Each structure stands twice: as structure tokens, then as C-alpha cells.
Amino acid sequence: FFVRYLRLAGISGTLRGSTGELRSVYGLASVRVAPRTPRQVAVAPTRVFATRDELWGAVAQRCAELCGAGRAVLVGTESVRQSEALAEVLRARGLEPVVLNARQDREESRVIGAAGQPGRLTVATSMAGRGAHIGLALSVLAAGGLHVILCQLNASPRIDRQFLGRAGRQG
């Protein structure tokens, strides 16, 4: 439907890598608008695990450390099945994850709204279209902010940027 409009406008923190696609498919130009506050994001190196069990174990250990330190944690998984499997592993380790996938669509805004609270552990599938801001409690900011863990590199780098962007909103 984009081509039917005379003018289009919007804002996204993840379109920067898609400007060629916007131009070739839709004939749209894009303009970069500087953020209101500078981003304070640190990206850790990618780690690779031989098995899913090793991955889940490492994710569970890191989540326990971060939540215990008062951080809010957002874990990204590729599918509904993986989000639920990881949540079971986390629960078995004494953690209390909140799952956000296609099965919790009615609770989505409430889950996202609480994802920035101290010790909050949210396991989610793709962040595409979520649009909601994760407001961080002051104690979470003092502890280092929202920590995002991706359990895989997604087929589209834009999805990875959407997850990582949750850690850098509002600076």
C-alpha cells in the first residue's frame, strides 16, 4: 500500500541498514535523524556453543548473574518453541522468566512495560512491530541498564538490531 500514498513519513531505529531496499522496492528515500540522547550501548562478542543445552546453560547462568545484580534482562529467541523451552530451563534453575511470544499477544504491552524493572527476566521472540518502549527503573539504570541476550543471529540483521535497540533507547 505504500506506493498509493503521496507522502510517507515514519521513524525507526533499525532502517539504517535497509535504505537500499526502501529505495529499490518502494522508491523511498530515507533521512537519518540524530537521537535526542547519545546511545550508551556496549556490544559483547558473539559466542558459539556446540549444543542447544550448552547455550541454554550459559544463558541461564548469565541471566542469574544479571538479575541478581539488579539488572533487567531481555532474552531473544528465534521461535515460540525455543522461548518456551528456554523458559523451562530458566525455571528449573530457580529463575522466574516472563515469556512474550505469539501466545501472549493480549498481555504484550503490560509485559513490555514491566521489562525494565530490577531483576526482571523477559524471554521474547522477534521484537519486530513491538513499538513499545521499555522504561527502565532508576535502579536498573544505576546497575548498568537493560541487558539483551540474543540466542542466535537472526536471518535478518534488522531483527538483531531491533532487539539490541531495546538496550539503547533513551540513551
Side-chain angles (χ1 to χ4, degrees):
F1 295 107
F2 288 160
V3 295
R4 294 180 178 246
Y5 291 94
L6 295 176
R7 291 179 184 79
L8 289 173
I11 191 161
S12 171
T14 60
L15 284 177
R16 195 166 168 192
S18 304
T19 55
E21 179 183 355
L22 287 171
R23 185 175 309 284
S24 67
V25 174
Y26 301 108
L28 297 174
S30 62
V31 176
R32 184 178 188 283
V33 177
R36 181 179 57 82
T37 57
R39 291 186 69 199
Q40 300 174 38
V41 175
V43 179
T46 300
R47 296 175 60 194
V48 178
F49 297 90
T51 67
R52 178 81 56 197
D53 288 342
E54 289 177 20
L55 169 64
W56 288 162
V59 169
Q61 179 180 342
R62 188 71 176 129
C63 288
E65 293 167 3
L66 293 162
C67 289
R71 298 277 299 267
V73 180
L74 172 64
V75 181
T77 61
E78 190 171 32
S79 68
V80 170
R81 179 179 291 147
Q82 286 180 9
S83 68
E84 292 173 348
L86 176 57
E88 285 184 34
V89 170
L90 295 168
R91 287 184 192 106
R93 298 238 181 149
L95 299 169
E96 298 180 21
V98 176
V99 178
L100 178 59
N101 58 35
R103 295 187 176 139
Q104 292 82 21
D105 60 334
R106 289 188 175 146
E107 303 169 36
E108 182 172 315
S109 63
R110 182 187 57 76
V111 170
I112 290 291
Q117 297 306 304
R120 182 68 171 227
L121 173 54
T122 306
V123 177
T125 55
S126 173
M127 295 306 289
R130 301 273 191 224
H133 171 65
I134 298 175
L136 300 182
L138 290 177
S139 62
V140 171
L141 284 171
L146 177 68
H147 190 93
V148 177
I149 299 173
L150 292 177
C151 292
Q152 74 287 320
L153 294 175
N154 290 284
S156 168
R158 184 166 183 230
I159 294 172
D160 295 335
R161 290 193 305 272
Q162 286 169 335
F163 268 107
L164 297 175
R166 300 294 175 205
R169 289 193 173 191
Q170 304 299 319

